[in-house]
Amino acid sequence: MLTFYNELHAQHRGRYEIFRGEMVPCFEKPERVDSVLAELGRRGLGKIVTPHGVPLMSLERIHTPRYLHFLRGAWNEWLALDPANAGKDAFPSVWPVRTLRDDIEPDDFCAKLGLYSMDNGTPLTAGTWTAAKTGADCAVNAAHALRLGERGAFVLSRPPGHHAGADFFGGYCFLNNAALAAQHMLDDGARKVAILDIDYHHGNGTQSIFYHRDDVLFVSIHADPRSEYPFYLGHADERGEGAGLGFNMNLPLAAGSTAQAWFAALETACIRLGSFAPDALVVSLGVDTFAGDPLSRFLLQSADYLKIGERLAYLNLPTAFIFEGGYAVKELGTNVVNVLEGYETAL
Ligand code: SP5
Ligand code: ZN
């Protein structure tokens, strides 16, 4: 397993997030990646490298130029509002829902924050762009490594990516690393790429990016959005549109679901992935399905993550694993590396 490590991840460091009217410490914190890096080192799972920077043009294959321009300059605009903002994270407070217009970008920075976001739980900080861009570099580099013949690559980065859409951030995500990896492989000559999202939360950003396309199959196992974030997408009846009809598969499970129910869904997912016959697989690897996760309500145990890796190896596809969610910091390294080791061992 070749790991692409984002050594600048800690430049994104939210101070707090808003939860039910209160400021609470951020769940999505630098220690998450530190935990995985330490465990990777302990188990010696192959080379760990840092990525080459990719041109912004590669990011424009997935994200709109308008959004990328906003994200790159956001911290400076936040400081321009008030120098005292250096000590505060930027949060949106107003959104262009339904009948409001999103075609005109307002001049007001707080209004821009709302235009380009889906929630107020995702702090934008001084180093957010640097960390997110370097994570995107890792994703494109990992995709390229598969094209060059590598059987498995791992993107060890934060902030995560699967909630970010073509032109919005949210759910702790800014740039959609999984989508960037899939698109890079297509641009490099792959005919079809599948994305399997096993984070506890539905990957609304990834789904929306590929919803009308038949060259990327999106399959997701996640908690039922009726009760869990991101709430407004991820239902079983979302099957794709136009050319994309039949190329989106959501497998929502009730909060509280056991490993048994989860692995039954994984079997359904694997059958669809096999019938799609892609050239490569991208896995949005969230381990917030863990029983001890502070945000989530599935009941997987650490040993289950070995089984996940083994099952994915049987698909016999070059696979890029992209680190997404997972907030039980102490067990995070074990759970993530279990997936990777299960994959390597079964190859
Ligand atoms: C990548 C990813 O996993 N994003 C998840 C975003 C979830 N955002 C909502 C967080 C709500 C915080 N709930 C605190 C519950 C404490 N019991
Ligand atoms: Zn998640």
Side-chain angles (χ1 to χ4, degrees):
M1 183 69 56
L2 178 57
T3 294
F4 289 89
Y5 170 56
N6 175 1
E7 59 184 352
L8 301 180
H9 75 87
Q11 295 209 17
H12 175 66
R13 187 184 286 270
R15 286 169 245 231
Y16 41 81
E17 60 186 68
I18 297 166
F19 177 65
R20 295 187 186 156
E22 282 188 61
M23 302 288 227
V24 301
C26 279
F27 289 90
E28 202 294 285
K29 52 190 174 193
E31 291 78 3
R32 298 175 58 247
V33 157
D34 299 341
S35 167
V36 179
L37 184 65
E39 186 66 16
L40 264 184
R42 271 193 289 275
R43 291 207 230 164
L45 214 69
K47 260 172 63 171
I48 301 173
V49 300
T50 53
H52 301 288
V54 305
L56 278 179
M57 250 171 45
S58 322
L59 275 54
E60 288 181 9
R61 297 290 295 142
I62 293 298
H63 295 284
T64 67
R66 196 174 81 153
Y67 174 60
L68 292 170
H69 183 259
F70 157 79
L71 203 57
R72 197 148 61 110
W75 189 253
N76 283 338
E77 281 198 68
W78 176 240
L79 294 182
L81 281 182
D82 181 348
N85 279 349
K88 301 170 197 163
D89 296 346
F91 285 94
S93 56
V94 59
W95 288 271
V97 297
R98 295 181 277 276
T99 60
L100 302 184
R101 287 183 67 171
D102 62 11
D103 56 324
I104 297 173
E105 184 188 76
D107 296 329
D108 180 272
F109 178 68
C110 293
K112 281 189 215 178
L113 274 173
L115 176 65
Y116 295 117
S117 69
M118 63 178 282
D119 66 26
N120 75 343
T122 308
L124 197 158
T125 79
T128 296
W129 168 256
T130 301
K133 167 63 168 64
T134 310
D137 293 341
C138 288
V140 173
N141 279 240
H144 204 69
L146 296 187
R147 293 294 297 162
L148 294 176
E150 207 71 47
R151 289 302 285 179
F154 174 46
V155 169
L156 179 52
S157 179
R158 47 172 295 283
H162 74 148
H163 295 302
D167 64 354
F168 62 87
F169 65 92
Y172 310 145
C173 304
F174 295 87
L175 296 174
N176 196 311
N177 300 315
L180 287 161
Q183 186 63 50
H184 179 79
M185 289 192 270
L186 293 167
D187 290 344
D188 194 55
R191 288 168 307 110
K192 296 189 278 182
V193 176
I195 301 176
L196 173 65
D197 190 323
I198 59 172
D199 188 279
Y200 179 79
H201 305 95
H202 175 251
N204 61 283
T206 316
Q207 170 171 313
S208 64
I209 286 164
F210 297 115
Y211 206 61
H212 294 265
R213 289 168 52 172
D214 60 4
D215 55 346
V216 177
L217 170 70
F218 179 71
V219 181
S220 179
I221 305 169
H222 52 269
D224 192 325
R226 284 179 178 81
S227 64
E228 300 298 307
Y229 190 89
F231 303 113
Y232 310 114
L233 209 66
H235 299 281
D237 66 352
E238 297 156 14
R239 301 190 50 245
E241 256 171 45
L245 184 62
F247 297 91
N248 193 90
M249 178 184 246
N250 284 329
L251 300 165
L253 299 170
S257 286
T258 60
Q260 195 189 352
W262 195 91
F263 277 97
L266 181 64
E267 216 40 56
T268 306
C270 286
I271 289 165
R272 179 68 187 100
L273 291 166
S275 71
F276 182 61
D279 298 313
L281 176 67
V282 175
V283 178
S284 266
L285 177 56
V287 293
D288 37 11
T289 47
F290 179 56
D293 193 277
L295 287 192
S296 314
R297 296 187 282 168
F298 281 172
L299 297 170
L300 272 66
Q301 301 295 331
S302 291
D304 290 321
Y305 294 97
L306 277 166
K307 286 171 51 189
I308 296 174
E310 281 169 27
R311 182 64 186 89
L312 297 180
Y314 291 131
L315 292 171
N316 197 23
L317 293 166
T319 302
F321 294 90
I322 316 275
F323 185 41
E324 303 279 4
Y327 307 95
V329 174
K330 193 160 126 340
E331 296 89 348
L332 209 48
T334 303
N335 295 345
V336 169
V337 180
N338 275 0
V339 175
L340 305 178
E341 192 175 309
Y343 179 83
E344 291 272 82
T345 312
L347 271 189

